[in-house]
Amino acid sequence: MAQEKTNYPKSIYFKLPNYRIIGVGNTYTGSENTFNYRLKLDKEADRIHLWVWYGMKCFGLSEIVNEHDAENSEKGMSDLAAAVDTEYDIYKEKLRSGEVKRRPTYDSGEDNEPVLSDYEIFGENVDLDAGGSKN
């Protein structure tokens, strides 16, 4: 018996799993720069939940910026895909305004200065909390 195809919209920014993956209870997380999201089925309520947070910390250590939930169905998953896109658009605006910071990288792109020197990255016994000096 062939599976029935649906034409629910998908995320325009992220490759999210299909409903069958989340609908049976799996957790899915994703990120782009310092934008993070998590999808998980709440089995008791039979709803799919979406959490969004910013920063470099894991879900358990972060402050949640926004939450959404939807029915446990393909339509609900589609609604949450749209919510992820909306949340990402909000995040991009906050990046532009400076309200949210980007992930620091080796080359910050500003004034062609690296965030960390080669010594700090490749040196041995470097205590970064003490300003990069040798122990």
Side-chain angles (χ1 to χ4, degrees):
M1 182 162 135
Q3 290 255 337
E4 184 179 316
K5 284 217 168 227
T6 59
N7 293 318
Y8 290 116
K10 303 285 185 190
S11 171
I12 59 174
Y13 298 116
F14 302 99
K15 189 172 183 178
L16 299 176
N18 63 44
Y19 161 70
R20 290 184 314 258
I21 302 298
I22 301 299
V24 296
N26 292 301
T27 301
Y28 183 81
T29 58
S31 65
E32 172 63 34
N33 208 314
T34 55
F35 175 83
N36 306 281
Y37 60 93
R38 179 182 191 205
L39 291 160
K40 183 174 182 176
L41 175 65
D42 178 346
K43 290 181 182 180
E44 287 182 17
D46 198 33
R47 310 242 338 139
I48 303 171
H49 202 82
L50 165 69
W51 295 269
V52 174
W53 71 98
Y54 305 149
M56 300 293 293
K57 293 181 181 176
C58 68
F59 174 77
L61 297 177
S62 295
E63 179 180 334
I64 303 303
V65 173
N66 211 345
E67 297 180 50
H68 302 267
D69 73 341
E71 63 186 54
N72 181 14
S73 68
E74 287 202 37
K75 168 85 170 72
M77 187 66 186
S78 177
D79 292 345
L80 292 179
V84 168
D85 289 346
T86 300
E87 292 293 335
Y88 188 63
D89 286 335
I90 293 167
Y91 165 79
K92 290 189 302 183
E93 284 300 316
K94 289 181 176 184
L95 272 179
R96 282 188 205 98
S97 72
E99 187 178 339
V100 173
K101 293 186 178 186
R102 292 187 177 280
R103 174 178 290 150
T105 60
Y106 174 69
D107 182 3
S108 69
E110 297 174 7
D111 302 324
N112 292 326
E113 292 292 321
V115 174
L116 298 173
S117 70
D118 285 345
Y119 175 78
E120 291 169 317
I121 293 172
F122 301 110
E124 294 180 17
N125 301 321
V126 176
D127 182 3
L128 293 177
D129 291 331
S133 62
K134 283 247 186 198
N135 291 352

